[in-house]
Amino acid sequence: MQNRRSAARLALCATLGAFLVSLTALPAAGPAQAAPANAAGAAVGAAAGAAAGILPHRAVYKMSLLSARNSSKVSDVRGRMLFEWADACDGWTTEQRFQLRFVYAEGDEMAMTTNYTTWEAKDGQRYRFNVRKLINGEEDEEVRGDARLAKDGTGSAAFSKPEPQDMELPPNTMFPTAHTLAVLDHASAGETFFNRVVFDGADSEGATEVSTVIGAAAPIKEDGADPLLKGKKAWPVRMAFFPLKSDSAQPEYEMSLRLLQNGVAESMQIDYGDFTVNAILEKVEALPKSGC
């Protein structure tokens, strides 16, 4: 069922930075254009500058249904997401834990609990992922594997669950944290558009083209802002996601967010066409330094 698949993807979409943001007036981006040769290596190298300003942190977000069309089968969404982004010396680790409840127009409800953990080398060339999802308290799916990239972005992914599977990754592929850092680097440089293929391992469908539009930076409002956020620049970012296995000219979903220069996201809106989910930052705290 499409709505069930959308619900599952919602509990994993924040793997691309776990961004959180308010919807902006930026135009929807079209399908990603072909990147120049060795663009992945150049993007990873440039992102080293953005990495220096990243704040390893733990954040809690409140998630709720923002809007739904009359034709939508989803009538309500409620829950929370815990997100951690840590510096593991030789790599970055992320952990996302979702507890969401979906209510459908016909009255049915679905409780979803998802735990998603990753490790990504700081050179952007190695990646490990593990996803475990429960539906109404029973295990629904587990995805596990690892992936490697060459400097030109070509590579392969090997899944051990839900079943053994190997797949090739196209040129100029990036992993999620490298992509997030590259978005920040492009934002800092004042560049408006950024397109790339991203592999996150969230499911066994493969990589996704991500077309990104970045708006003008604005300072965080000081009144009531958390000390970790004060004085930071924030960019409105809109991303459109096009699965490589799909022939549709329309994105599977779009995400709008307000991304801070230290990697913290204030809010996020995820638009599936027939319904939109909102995520608002409730609490953020710095994680202990790794001691590297």
Side-chain angles (χ1 to χ4, degrees):
M1 183 174 68
Q2 179 61 35
N3 280 279
R4 181 186 175 97
R5 185 173 186 278
S6 296
R9 191 66 194 179
L10 166 62
L12 295 171
C13 68
T15 59
L16 295 168
F19 300 135
L20 305 130
V21 166
S22 57
L23 185 63
T24 69
L26 294 172
Q33 302 298 313
N38 203 30
V44 170
I54 291 300
L55 173 71
H57 64 279
R58 177 184 297 114
V60 177
Y61 298 92
K62 180 180 179 181
M63 304 187 74
S64 61
L65 183 71
L66 180 65
S67 63
R69 293 182 178 179
N70 292 335
S71 59
S72 174
K73 294 182 179 179
V74 175
S75 62
D76 196 19
V77 181
R78 300 287 172 183
R80 276 176 170 74
M81 175 183 75
L82 171 69
F83 173 72
E84 294 185 2
W85 186 355
D87 187 342
C89 295
D90 61 341
W92 300 102
T93 63
T94 66
E95 180 175 4
Q96 296 165 64
R97 288 178 294 197
F98 290 84
Q99 289 186 325
L100 298 172
R101 181 171 294 277
F102 292 82
V103 179
Y104 295 94
E106 58 268 27
D108 294 337
E109 295 189 11
M110 179 179 70
M112 176 183 293
T113 301
T114 303
N115 191 70
Y116 178 84
T117 58
T118 72
W119 175 89
E120 183 176 330
K122 287 185 177 178
D123 64 5
Q125 293 181 263
R126 292 171 295 156
Y127 182 60
R128 297 193 296 267
F129 52 93
N130 188 12
V131 184
R132 186 169 182 263
K133 185 171 83 239
L134 303 178
I135 299 294
N136 296 329
E138 298 183 1
E139 184 167 301
D140 180 71
E141 183 180 28
E142 184 172 6
V143 181
R144 181 180 298 178
D146 59 76
R148 289 180 177 269
L149 293 174
K151 290 185 178 180
D152 67 353
T154 59
S156 62
F159 291 81
S160 58
K161 291 186 176 183
E163 59 185 28
Q165 177 186 357
D166 294 331
M167 68 172 58
E168 297 298 314
L169 300 177
N172 299 310
T173 296
M174 302 183 76
F175 296 138
T177 300
H179 181 260
T180 300
L181 295 174
V183 170
L184 283 169
D185 187 72
H186 280 258
S188 296
E191 297 172 2
T192 305
F193 300 99
F194 178 55
N195 298 331
R196 195 64 79 244
V197 174
V198 179
F199 175 81
D200 62 9
D203 55 41
S204 57
E205 294 299 310
T208 300
E209 289 189 50
V210 183
S211 186
T212 304
V213 181
I214 305 168
I220 292 294
K221 294 181 179 179
E222 296 290 321
D223 294 344
D226 188 280
L228 295 176
L229 310 183
K230 287 184 177 180
K232 300 294 187 296
K233 290 182 181 179
W235 290 273
V237 178
R238 187 173 182 92
M239 296 187 288
F241 297 80
F242 300 84
L244 293 184
K245 290 187 177 181
S246 173
D247 295 327
S248 175
Q250 299 299 317
E252 182 179 27
Y253 61 93
E254 296 180 82
M255 181 162 59
S256 299
L257 50 139
R258 187 170 169 84
L259 181 62
L260 277 65
Q261 66 191 87
N262 62 2
V264 177
E266 271 192 301
S267 61
M268 172 173 59
Q269 294 181 340
I270 310 159
D271 183 358
Y272 286 98
D274 58 347
F275 70 100
T276 301
V277 174
N278 199 28
I280 298 295
L281 179 64
E282 287 191 323
K283 179 181 179 182
V284 61
E285 59 182 309
L287 292 176
K289 293 184 178 180
S290 62
C292 301

